[in-house]
């Protein structure tokens, strides 16, 4: 029998186990709830809404053989699909879709900087400007541990894991609730790429090196020690040494 259809009741479809500030303003209400979904593999660990409060009970708005959708008292909608996909939509337009393979797609309203990229330096990606062009879509590829943000202007931002590990006092903002981490106190130092709508891109490497590629393909690489390498599309290279000297190759 189709279990989703035959057993479609709220007891089978509970609140997501990861913390979200728009859903629960007080995370201390459930001390067992972690902000990291990878630490809450069992969604049934969270309690049901208060069954004695009729006003707090979720209401089923869609029920088919492939989908059950609930309208929550706070205005959110929770949708559960037979293939394992779960979707949570907030009244302000934010939407989180979790796929069975561990991928996560998150859409945030305009003028909202995604937590996953909040620590990116402004000189690398002017996020306040990028998010003003419309909603931002952030996609997390679990297998590759890679984040991809698409902005309304056409710009794109990538965050790749490197092999390096850096101890942290706590998981950084971009990992809270959206990017599984092997250990919340150990976070991989990422490689970040910013792709602009005109074709130019900027790459920031874990060691501090930054490489800019213009729309024509010419590159400028700036290294942590101050060394600058400029390379034209024809292959000509000019090296600016930290002491101010210039060398052509």
């Amino acid at each position: 029998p189709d279990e989703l259809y035959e057993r479609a009741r709220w007891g089978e479809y509970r609140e997501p186990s990861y913390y979200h500030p728009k859903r629960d303003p007080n995370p201390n209400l459930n001390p067992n709830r972690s902000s990291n979904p990878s630490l809450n593999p069992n969604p049934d660990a969270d309690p049901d809404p208060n069954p004695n409060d009729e006003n707090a009970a979720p209401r089923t708005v869609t029920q088919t053989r492939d989908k059950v959708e609930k309208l929550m008292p706070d205005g959110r909608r929770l949708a559960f699909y037979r293939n394992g996909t779960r979707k949570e939509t907030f009244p302000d337009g934010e939407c989180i879709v979790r796929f069975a393979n561990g991928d996560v797609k998150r859409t945030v309203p305009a003028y909202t900087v995604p937590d996953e990229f909040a620590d990116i330096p402004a000189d690398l990606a002017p996020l306040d400007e990028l998010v003003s062009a419309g909603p931002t879509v952030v996609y997390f590829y679990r297998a590759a541990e890679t984040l991809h943000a698409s902005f309304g202007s056409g710009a794109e931002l990538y965050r790749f894991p490197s092999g390096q590990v850096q101890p942290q006092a706590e998981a950084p903002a971009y990992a809270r609730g959206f990017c599984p981490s092997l250990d919340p106190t150990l976070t991989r130092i990422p490689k970040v790429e910013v792709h602009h709508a005109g074709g130019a891109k900027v790459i920031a490497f874990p060691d501090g090196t930054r490489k800019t590629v213009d729309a024509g393909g010419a590159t400028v690489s700036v290294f942590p020690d101050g060394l600058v390498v400029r390379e034209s599309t024809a292959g000509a290279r000019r090296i600016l040494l930290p002491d101010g000297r210039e060398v052509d190759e």
Side-chain angles (χ1 to χ4, degrees):
D2 188 327
E3 183 175 348
L4 177 64
Y5 185 73
E6 297 295 336
R7 300 172 59 196
R9 65 179 189 274
W10 177 245
E12 303 300 326
Y13 313 104
R14 302 171 187 255
E15 286 272 19
S17 57
Y18 62 92
Y19 168 68
H20 194 294
K22 294 180 185 176
R23 183 191 319 111
D24 183 356
N26 184 3
N28 295 323
L29 290 177
N30 186 349
N32 296 320
R33 172 182 285 177
S34 170
S35 63
N36 190 328
S38 66
L39 304 181
N40 290 291
N42 180 11
D44 293 337
D46 284 344
D48 287 339
N50 184 355
N52 297 320
D53 185 353
E54 294 183 356
N55 293 325
R59 179 167 58 88
T60 300
V61 293
T62 302
Q63 181 173 320
T64 68
R65 295 184 63 86
D66 297 311
K67 174 184 176 182
V68 172
E69 184 175 7
K70 301 283 183 175
L71 177 62
M72 306 303 292
D74 58 6
R76 288 177 298 120
R77 287 178 177 262
L78 299 179
F80 309 87
Y81 299 85
R82 183 168 58 178
N83 63 4
T85 299
R86 294 190 172 201
K87 180 179 180 180
E88 182 175 20
T89 306
F90 294 84
D92 66 355
E94 179 177 353
C95 178
I96 301 173
V97 181
R98 293 177 169 271
F99 301 96
N101 65 354
D103 287 3
V104 181
K105 179 182 179 182
R106 180 176 178 234
T107 303
V108 296
Y111 301 101
T112 302
V113 174
D115 292 338
E116 300 91 330
F117 294 96
D119 62 331
I120 300 297
D123 63 334
L124 176 61
L127 289 173
D128 289 338
E129 176 183 338
L130 291 175
V131 299
S132 68
T136 301
V137 177
V138 179
Y139 197 99
F140 173 62
Y141 298 90
R142 183 166 187 173
E145 294 187 21
T146 298
L147 279 164
H148 173 214
S150 300
F151 300 94
S153 64
E156 298 177 277
L157 183 57
Y158 294 84
R159 191 165 200 148
F160 303 95
S162 68
Q164 299 173 269
V165 174
Q166 173 177 291
Q168 300 278 356
E170 61 178 5
Y174 65 84
R176 295 178 194 145
F178 304 101
C179 300
S181 176
L182 297 178
D183 185 323
T185 62
L186 292 176
T187 302
R188 290 184 176 185
I189 303 173
K191 182 180 79 171
V192 176
E193 289 189 14
V194 183
H195 293 220
H196 297 284
K201 66 179 179 180
V202 181
I203 306 172
F205 296 90
D207 64 358
T209 300
R210 188 171 295 188
K211 182 177 182 179
T212 301
V213 184
D214 67 23
T219 66
V220 178
S221 299
V222 181
F223 296 87
D225 62 0
L227 180 70
V228 178
V229 177
R230 301 178 183 274
E231 186 170 357
S232 69
T233 54
R237 299 179 65 190
R238 170 166 290 188
I239 301 175
L240 285 71
L241 300 175
D243 61 8
R245 291 180 296 154
E246 297 185 8
V247 178
D248 291 324
E249 290 188 348

